[in-house]
């Protein structure tokens, strides 16, 4: 009997566990470990932050995986032992024949002095209710949506947040001047000049100002301070904090000098045999030298490849499963429409990625994206 450990119950870990259970006979054990007890599709945070839909509607209990023959252990992961394909979690050591590290990217607001005191953390699901109340009570003024580090999860999200927030405030007849800043040289550089110009146009039509190449170093009451010495005032700040690998991953030997986990771009296997890393915790270079964006659709796709490869290894069969880097992300652009940032991100030569025309159908597709996965996985 073989044992597979999956660390993390997010957009990588859950579908990997489900696919493995389909591929492996029941005598082989699958254990999923996560400190949280619920799963949620990431973009629901924006809906909930803006009062469009309750957070709880998009959450499912990870314990529901037990009915599919997947053991769920809710516990803090104290140590990962990749050379032994083992983990210490909840005070116990778990040994495995294969291990999938799907622990995502940790938010690190503490790296920006004043962030936690003066900004709404737009990516923190634990603070959604109180942060939504702050937005509802906002009387008007200067609003900043800021990206405080790179890379960060779901690159289109800050722009979608700014657009939808502007619509929300306009509907309430609240006067607000909204600006977005990022350390990147363009809104979504992977789109190229033409795609970025299109996205910039959606911001401009909502009278949202865009500030590229702005590296924030601190937040003070009513002001963001930047590395070049400039300052930007605000009455309401919604920030995307710096991201970093979870501490337990950094301590494990899977990373070097604080970097993300290096994997084989086709198989997702790390330098440790039998240990794979998928989703936001890893770094897969694209042809342009930049890392593959951190998004749930890529974590899911990587997980499908890893499940096939682990199952083949356990069962002694062959597989040609390799990760191709195809996928896309939704971006709501207002007026009941959305676009897709989609393409072949790991194409040879350069990423082949484009921005689709806006359509109401993509908004429905986004809701369906969530509901279909919740139904299929839980």
């Amino acid at each position: 009997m073989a044992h597979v450990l999956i660390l993390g119950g997010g957009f990588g870990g859950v579908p990997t566990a489900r696919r493995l259970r389909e591929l492996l006979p029941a005598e082989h054990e699958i254990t999923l470990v996560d400190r949280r007890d619920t799963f949620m599709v990431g973009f629901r945070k924006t809906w909930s932050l803006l009062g469009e839909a309750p957070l709880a509607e998009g959450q499912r209990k990870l314990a529901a995986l037990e009915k599919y023959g997947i053991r769920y252990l809710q516990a803090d992961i104290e140590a990962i032992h990749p050379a032994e394909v083992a983990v210490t979690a909840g005070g116990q050591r778990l040994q495995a024949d294969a291990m999938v590290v799907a622990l995502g990217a940790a938010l690190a607001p503490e790296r920006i002095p004043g962030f936690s005191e003066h900004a709404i953390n737009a990516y923190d699901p634990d603070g959604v209710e109180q942060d939504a109340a702050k937005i509802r009570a906002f009387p008007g003024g200067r609003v900043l949506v800021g990206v405080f580090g790179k890379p960060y999860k779901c690159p289109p999200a800050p722009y979608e947040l700014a657009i939808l927030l502007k619509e929300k405030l306009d509907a309430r007849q609240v006067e607000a001047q909204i600006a977005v800043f990022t350390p990147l040289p363009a809104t979504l550089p992977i789109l190229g000049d033409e795609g970025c110009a299109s996205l910039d146009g959606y911001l401009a039509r909502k009278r949202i100002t865009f500030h590229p190449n702005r590296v924030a170093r601190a937040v003070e009451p009513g002001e963001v301070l930047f590395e070049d010495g400039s300052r930007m005032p605000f009455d309401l700040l919604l920030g995307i904090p710096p991201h970093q690998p979870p501490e337990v991953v950094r301590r494990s030997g899977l990373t070097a000098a604080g970097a993300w986990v290096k994997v084989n771009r086709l198989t997702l296997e790390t330098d440790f045999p039998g240990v794979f890393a998928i989703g936001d915790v890893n770094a897969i270079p694209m042809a342009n030298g930049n890392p593959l964006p951190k998004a749930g659709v890529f974590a899911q796709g990587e997980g499908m490849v890893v499940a096939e490869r682990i199952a083949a290894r356990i069962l002694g069969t062959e597989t040609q499963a390799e990760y191709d880097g195809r996928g896309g992300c939704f971006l709501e652009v207002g007026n009941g429409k959305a676009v897709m940032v989609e393409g072949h991100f790991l194409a040879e030569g350069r990423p082949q990625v484009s921005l689709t025309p806006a359509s109401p159908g993509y908004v429905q597709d986004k809701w369906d994206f969530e509901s279909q996965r919740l139904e299929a996985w839980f």
Side-chain angles (χ1 to χ4, degrees), residues 322-338:
E322 293 182 340
Y323 184 59
D324 65 5
R326 296 181 185 272
C329 299
F330 297 98
L331 197 173
E332 294 184 60
V333 294
N335 301 317
K337 296 180 180 181

Side-chain angles (χ1 to χ4, degrees), residues 215-237:
V215 180
R217 65 177 179 85
V219 182
E220 293 183 351
E223 283 189 317
V224 177
L225 283 62
F226 297 94
E227 292 287 357
D228 63 4
S230 64
R231 296 168 176 258
M232 200 174 292
F234 67 85
D235 299 299
L236 180 68
L237 171 61

Side-chain angles (χ1 to χ4, degrees), residues 44-57 128 367 370:
R44 178 160 284 265
K45 291 192 296 292
T46 296
W47 290 339
S48 301
L49 193 62
L50 299 179
E52 296 297 318
L55 202 67
E57 284 185 1
V128 163
W367 286 93
E370 179 193 61

Side-chain angles (χ1 to χ4, degrees), residues 188-196 265 284-293 324-326 342-355:
L188 294 175
I190 197 168
L191 290 173
D193 292 343
E194 183 178 351
C196 285
R265 57 164 284 187
I284 301 175
M286 298 184 293
N288 61 7
N290 294 323
L292 182 72
D324 65 5
R326 296 181 185 272
E342 64 178 6
H344 188 186
F345 288 75
L346 294 180
E348 296 294 332
R350 64 181 180 87
Q352 304 292 324
V353 183
S354 61
L355 195 70

Side-chain angles (χ1 to χ4, degrees), residues 12-251:
V14 169
T16 304
R18 288 299 315 275
R19 181 59 179 152
L20 269 170
R21 188 71 287 165
E22 293 172 354
L23 295 170
L24 292 175
E27 63 264 25
H28 300 293
E29 187 178 2
I30 301 168
T31 301
L32 185 145
V33 186
D34 199 299
R35 65 182 179 84
R36 293 184 177 271
D37 65 349
T38 56
F39 167 89
M40 182 183 69
V41 177
F43 53 62
R44 178 160 284 265
K45 291 192 296 292
T46 296
W47 290 339
S48 301
L49 193 62
L50 299 179
E52 296 297 318
L55 202 67
E57 284 185 1
Q59 295 177 326
R60 296 294 184 272
K61 292 292 186 180
L62 289 170
L65 296 172
E66 297 269 3
K67 66 186 177 186
Y68 300 109
I70 299 164
R71 179 192 175 199
Y72 162 60
L73 174 63
Q74 183 180 1
D76 287 325
I77 298 171
E78 289 112 21
I80 300 171
H81 316 287
E84 292 83 34
V85 194
V87 64
T88 301
Q92 59 180 308
R93 183 184 175 93
L94 304 173
Q95 188 69 50
D97 299 279
M99 180 163 61
V100 183
V101 181
L103 290 170
L107 303 180
E110 68 279 1
R111 286 170 48 185
I112 303 294
F115 184 100
S116 297
E117 293 82 2
H118 306 299
I120 287 176
N121 186 339
Y123 277 17
D124 181 10
D126 294 333
V128 163
E129 289 189 9
Q130 63 186 38
D131 292 336
K134 292 177 184 177
I135 292 172
R136 287 195 302 271
F138 181 61
R142 298 160 299 186
V143 180
L144 289 182
V145 177
V147 178
F148 283 80
K150 60 178 183 179
Y152 64 95
K153 297 183 285 187
C154 195
Y159 309 108
E160 177 180 270
L161 176 59
I163 290 169
L164 296 182
L165 177 59
K166 185 65 167 65
E167 284 198 334
K168 180 70 65 174
L169 295 176
D170 284 349
R172 289 172 39 204
Q173 297 184 321
V174 173
E175 290 291 332
Q177 302 80 47
I178 298 183
V180 183
F181 68 80
T182 176
L184 298 174
T187 41
L188 294 175
I190 197 168
L191 290 173
D193 292 343
E194 183 178 351
C196 285
S198 180
L199 177 52
D200 293 350
Y202 289 116
L203 295 173
R205 283 190 284 277
K206 293 294 184 183
R207 303 186 306 282
I208 296 170
T209 306
F210 175 60
H211 301 279
N213 296 311
R214 305 303 295 269
V215 180
R217 65 177 179 85
V219 182
E220 293 183 351
E223 283 189 317
V224 177
L225 283 62
F226 297 94
E227 292 287 357
D228 63 4
S230 64
R231 296 168 176 258
M232 200 174 292
F234 67 85
D235 299 299
L236 180 68
L237 171 61
L238 293 88
I240 291 83
H243 292 25
Q244 63 188 22
E247 181 183 356
V248 69
V249 176
R250 299 199 308 272
R251 288 191 278 104

